[in-house]
Amino acid sequence: MFFKVVIALLALTIGLYVQQALKGPGELPELQKAIILPTPKKITSFTFIDHNNEQFSNQNLLGHWTIAFFGFTNCPDICPTTMQTLKQIKARLVEQDEWGNYQVLMVSVDPARDTPEQLKKYVPFFDPEFIGMTGDVEELTEFAKQLGVLFIAREADEYGAYDVDHSAAMILFNPKGEMAGVISAPHKLEEISADLITLANYYHDDHSANASAVAAAHQRNKPLVSADSTRSNELIFEQAWIRPAPPNAKSMAGYFNIRNTSDQDIVIVASESPQFDMVMIHDTLIEGGIASMQHRDELRVPANGRFSLEPMSTHMMLVTPEREMPAGSLIDVNLISEDGRIFSQQIEVRPQPE
């Protein structure tokens, strides 16, 4: 069964607060992005399964600041973008010896397909210490309700294709296993890294519980390299890349700038690749904390202007590759205009740049 997930977060108090039981009002830390609940929310007992097919319960939250993200393994844009950002945040904090007692938890919103085996292929792809969690849909729904999260199922369309709407926010659990706050989208590396350092130091200062930082090499992504010109002199692809797909994922996402060198608007009405069953242009929309994908019928590149396809925004969705497309693979992409012109480009699969 396929699911469309709409996640509604509870209304959170606007402002930057920390539980008074730990510090007085005059000593509250200043945070840039995270919003901390004035009173942490206790979570009732739960038991799920992690990506190693072992139990994951409230006990696994104790002693850690947990950054939880609700997502699914077949998501082409929002989920891998968020997971990659978390990977970069962790690498930065580890490098600065500030990761401390943080852990990252990805909670599946698509348990029908996200088995422990699937999560085991997906979650460690970003970081071997990240945790994937899944379980019975009814129990996950009850767990989600405690966090103000609601799951709503939708049937697949006639072609078997589907989208999944889900919250782009991260939820914070404190070391007591309570919901402590939320980090809303957009997720900016600098802001979130600074907030996590502040929270970690705050916790360490109050409890003298500074856990040892995780030893890990900082694998930096390759810088963007401008793509080759298209066959047409009128539409130029620049800074083109396609995100590597996690294991068994059926969708990939492509990003690039397209520059129109002509004096007329160029309207793209279709896209294709001989290496994929389907290629579409989608917009990622975030409204009221809810993220969804919307198909774009046309893409207008203004005369002597440009249009950018970027993570968490407009992107090219490539569905069902003919074979595995690891980093370094070259993918042929065609953009078709309303007057029948074809603009072709070969785009490399490469990691998301910082």
Side-chain angles (χ1 to χ4, degrees):
M1 180 179 182
F2 298 124
F3 292 91
K4 175 178 179 178
V5 181
V6 176
I7 298 187
L9 290 174
L10 287 173
L12 298 177
T13 303
I14 298 175
L16 305 176
Y17 299 94
V18 174
Q19 46 189 301
Q20 295 179 359
L22 295 181
K23 286 205 173 198
E27 301 176 275
L28 301 180
E30 295 184 3
L31 304 177
Q32 299 180 35
K33 186 70 176 177
I35 298 175
I36 303 301
L37 294 173
T39 302
K41 182 178 177 62
K42 293 187 179 299
I43 305 300
T44 58
S45 179
F46 66 84
T47 302
F48 294 110
I49 300 297
D50 69 13
H51 69 274
N52 290 316
N53 214 17
E54 297 179 353
Q55 285 190 349
F56 190 95
S57 70
N58 305 67
Q59 296 298 311
N60 297 94
L61 299 179
L62 300 180
H64 299 277
W65 277 100
T66 301
I67 310 161
F69 172 69
F70 286 76
F72 65 110
T73 64
N74 283 290
C75 174
D77 179 55
I78 298 169
C79 300
T81 297
T82 302
M83 294 292 283
Q84 181 69 20
T85 298
L86 286 167
K87 171 185 175 179
Q88 293 169 349
I89 289 169
K90 179 188 172 185
R92 175 170 294 194
L93 267 61
V94 166
E95 196 173 60
Q96 298 176 19
D97 198 27
E98 294 281 4
W99 183 246
N101 65 336
Y102 282 108
Q103 64 180 3
V104 171
L105 174 66
M106 176 179 165
V107 183
S108 173
V109 297
D110 187 15
R113 291 173 299 167
D114 286 347
T115 62
E117 292 74 22
Q118 174 65 8
L119 288 173
K120 189 175 181 65
K121 295 172 183 176
Y122 183 89
V123 177
F125 173 83
F126 298 96
D127 187 282
E129 295 193 341
F130 286 2
I131 303 164
M133 188 178 86
T134 190
D136 179 79
V137 64
E138 286 79 14
E139 294 178 353
L140 281 169
T141 300
E142 289 303 313
F143 172 69
K145 283 181 180 178
Q146 298 182 69
L147 309 174
V149 175
L150 175 66
F151 287 73
I152 300 176
R154 187 181 73 171
E155 294 183 0
D157 64 21
E158 57 184 316
Y159 303 104
Y162 62 96
D163 292 332
V164 178
D165 296 352
H166 60 91
S167 170
M170 303 173 188
I171 292 177
L172 286 171
F173 293 91
N174 66 23
K176 295 181 180 180
E178 303 164 325
M179 180 183 175
V182 64
I183 303 174
S184 59
H187 300 132
K188 300 195 176 182
L189 178 65
E190 297 289 344
E191 293 178 347
I192 297 176
S193 297
D195 280 356
L196 294 183
I197 290 173
T198 298
L199 284 173
N201 290 336
Y202 173 73
Y203 175 77
H204 298 159
D205 290 345
D206 274 18
H207 300 272
S208 301
N210 187 10
S212 60
V214 179
H218 185 8
Q219 299 296 326
R220 298 192 181 276
N221 294 313
K222 296 186 216 176
L224 286 174
V225 178
S226 295
D228 296 333
S229 299
T230 64
R231 297 176 194 169
S232 168
N233 292 327
E234 295 178 333
L235 202 62
I236 307 297
F237 287 70
E238 299 173 331
Q239 296 182 320
W241 61 289
I242 292 175
R243 184 193 306 281
N248 286 3
K250 295 183 179 180
S251 299
M252 301 174 74
Y255 311 97
F256 45 85
N257 297 328
I258 38 180
R259 179 162 53 91
N260 182 0
T261 62
S262 74
D263 294 329
Q264 300 291 326
D265 290 1
I266 296 177
V267 181
I268 302 301
V269 296
S271 53
E272 64 180 10
S273 170
Q275 293 140 300
F276 287 81
D277 286 349
M278 185 183 304
V279 178
M280 299 169 284
I281 303 296
H282 278 181
D283 289 324
T284 295
L285 305 177
I286 302 178
E287 298 178 353
I290 306 301
S292 62
M293 285 196 303
Q294 179 174 302
H295 176 69
R296 180 184 279 264
D297 293 327
E298 65 175 44
L299 189 157
R300 183 178 296 271
V301 187
N304 297 306
R306 68 179 64 220
F307 193 100
S308 295
L309 281 71
E310 302 173 340
M312 304 290 285
S313 183
T314 303
H315 60 278
M316 173 176 283
M317 181 176 177
L318 304 100
V319 183
T320 315
E322 62 180 7
R323 58 179 175 80
E324 186 177 353
M325 298 287 182
S329 300
L330 296 177
I331 295 175
D332 298 308
V333 169
N334 297 322
L335 299 180
I336 304 168
S337 67
E338 62 181 353
D339 58 5
R341 285 177 293 170
I342 298 177
F343 303 91
S344 301
Q345 179 64 48
Q346 195 171 70
I347 302 177
E348 183 181 1
V349 178
R350 61 179 63 156
Q352 176 176 338
E354 290 189 16

